[in-house]
């Protein structure tokens, strides 16, 4: 049996971002397609990008039934901030995109490759960038 847990019952719903890094029952990602997702070792759902070429990263806690906006922009079509190749940085973030390939490694890190989206200059196209996110 299905149970409606979160989100709108109408197509094209906008997201409710709340405060970056703060869980809330009123937070919810906007409508989208072609996002990537994975489950962490605590059984939380993580969601990145998709739809209107978002670059937002969300965490859903199924026990508390809360979404937390973790990273990225609250608007679509955002350019990437690449930083220095090989160096993690708090301001680094992939550009908005959809249709990426993703996987998690044994340490629980998300790996994200390519898709259709925005590079560091705001140019839209197919991407071949590889990113790692460490929760």
């Amino acid at each position: 049996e299905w149970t409606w847990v979160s989100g709108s019952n109408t197509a094209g719903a906008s997201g409710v971002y709340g405060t970056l890094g703060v869980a809330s029952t009123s937070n919810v990602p906007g409508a989208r397609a072609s996002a990537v997702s994975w489950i962490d070792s605590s059984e939380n759902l993580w969601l990145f990008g998709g739809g209107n070429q978002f670059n937002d990263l969300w965490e859903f806690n199924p026990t508390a039934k809360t979404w937390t906006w973790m990273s990225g922009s609250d608007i679509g079509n955002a350019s990437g901030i690449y930083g220095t190749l090989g160096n993690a940085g708090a301001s680094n973030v992939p550009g908005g995109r959809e249709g990426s390939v993703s996987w998690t490694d044994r340490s629980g890190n998300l790996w994200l490759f390519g898709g259709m989206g925005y590079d560091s200059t705001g140019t839209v196209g197919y991407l071949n960038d590889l990113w790692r996110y460490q929760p």
Side-chain angles (χ1 to χ4, degrees):
E1 296 181 13
W2 287 96
T3 302
W4 180 17
V5 177
S6 176
S8 176
N9 64 352
T10 60
S14 296
V16 177
Y17 285 78
T19 302
L20 189 67
V22 178
S24 173
T25 55
S26 61
N27 291 351
V28 64
R32 64 194 65 209
S34 303
V36 298
S37 64
W38 73 101
I39 304 297
D40 67 20
S41 61
S42 299
E43 299 298 314
N44 297 315
L45 168 69
W46 289 77
L47 177 75
F48 176 82
N52 195 21
Q53 295 180 335
F54 290 105
N55 74 338
D56 52 354
L57 176 65
W58 290 87
E59 179 185 24
F60 180 75
N61 180 315
T63 303
K65 295 181 179 55
T66 56
W67 285 100
T68 306
W69 171 35
M70 300 299 289
S71 175
S73 178
D74 61 353
I75 60 169
N77 306 326
S79 297
I81 301 173
Y82 285 72
T84 302
L85 185 66
N87 294 318
S91 63
N92 295 351
V93 64
R97 65 190 62 208
E98 56 186 88
S100 300
V101 174
S102 67
W103 66 96
T104 55
D105 63 25
R106 290 185 180 136
S107 299
N109 301 310
L110 168 72
W111 292 81
L112 177 77
F113 178 79
M116 169 64 91
Y118 289 84
D119 66 11
S120 63
T121 67
T123 302
V124 67
Y126 292 109
L127 301 166
N128 75 339
D129 51 353
L130 178 64
W131 292 83
R132 181 184 66 207
Y133 178 78
Q134 296 173 275

